[in-house]
Amino acid sequence: MQKFVEDVYKRIQTEFPSRPTTPKDWSREGQLACDCEFCTEVNRFLPDPERSEIIFDKTLKRNLLHIESEIQKSRVDLDIEIRRTPPKFQGTCRKNQNRYDKQRQLFDSAQEIVKELPVGNGSS
């Protein structure tokens, strides 16, 4: 059992050596797989460190639903809000920090496990 505990401790220390770094600007990793004009615009927007949102104005709802679908498939750190603005629609894509939040939650959970391990808290 002690070997198992030591292996778990080593694995946690290897996988989660330090707290993830908070994003310093608005640049986000990843790209949408599609190369239509809308997705191309989103792909130019993602690495931009200055812009937190992009607005697609006066477009068809299907275009915005397409962007939403591509965001979900690609798992990029973006949210999209679709609003009716007669006679068409407006979509706002906002960058988020879901990837960082997930990494932070994993790190925090790993640290809680380490506290419970006999080898991890110095009481071997």
Side-chain angles (χ1 to χ4, degrees):
M1 182 64 151
Q2 186 63 31
K3 170 96 170 90
F4 174 76
V5 170
E6 289 172 4
D7 288 347
V8 169
Y9 178 75
K10 286 177 187 173
R11 178 68 185 258
I12 288 173
Q13 296 305 315
T14 300
E15 295 292 322
F16 306 99
S18 61
R19 180 173 295 281
T21 306
T22 307
K24 304 249 184 279
D25 58 31
W26 285 111
S27 61
R28 295 295 182 262
E29 294 177 8
Q31 295 280 286
L32 304 183
C34 176
D35 62 355
C36 74
E37 66 178 298
F38 297 100
C39 292
T40 299
E41 185 65 27
V42 170
N43 285 339
R44 282 195 296 264
F45 162 69
L46 280 166
D48 187 333
E50 302 294 321
R51 295 170 50 203
S52 65
E53 69 179 33
I54 186 173
I55 296 173
F56 293 95
D57 223 2
K58 299 177 183 156
T59 188
L60 298 174
K61 186 175 184 179
R62 73 172 178 241
N63 296 331
L64 300 172
L65 292 174
H66 168 71
I67 294 169
E68 181 178 53
S69 172
E70 291 299 314
I71 288 170
Q72 290 170 351
K73 283 193 268 182
S74 298
R75 297 177 147 183
V76 292
D77 284 351
L78 281 179
D79 297 314
I80 184 167
E81 179 185 340
I82 300 171
R83 289 178 303 289
R84 178 133 173 80
T85 53
K88 295 193 176 183
F89 288 83
Q90 179 186 69
T92 303
C93 293
R94 287 187 185 87
K95 294 176 182 174
N96 62 45
Q97 58 182 32
N98 289 345
R99 186 171 289 148
Y100 164 76
D101 290 340
K102 184 177 179 180
Q103 290 172 343
R104 193 192 74 238
Q105 289 170 349
L106 286 171
F107 176 82
D108 291 346
S109 295
Q111 296 312 302
E112 289 300 316
I113 292 169
V114 165
K115 287 180 187 174
E116 299 297 321
L117 293 175
V119 73
N121 63 18
S123 61
S124 295

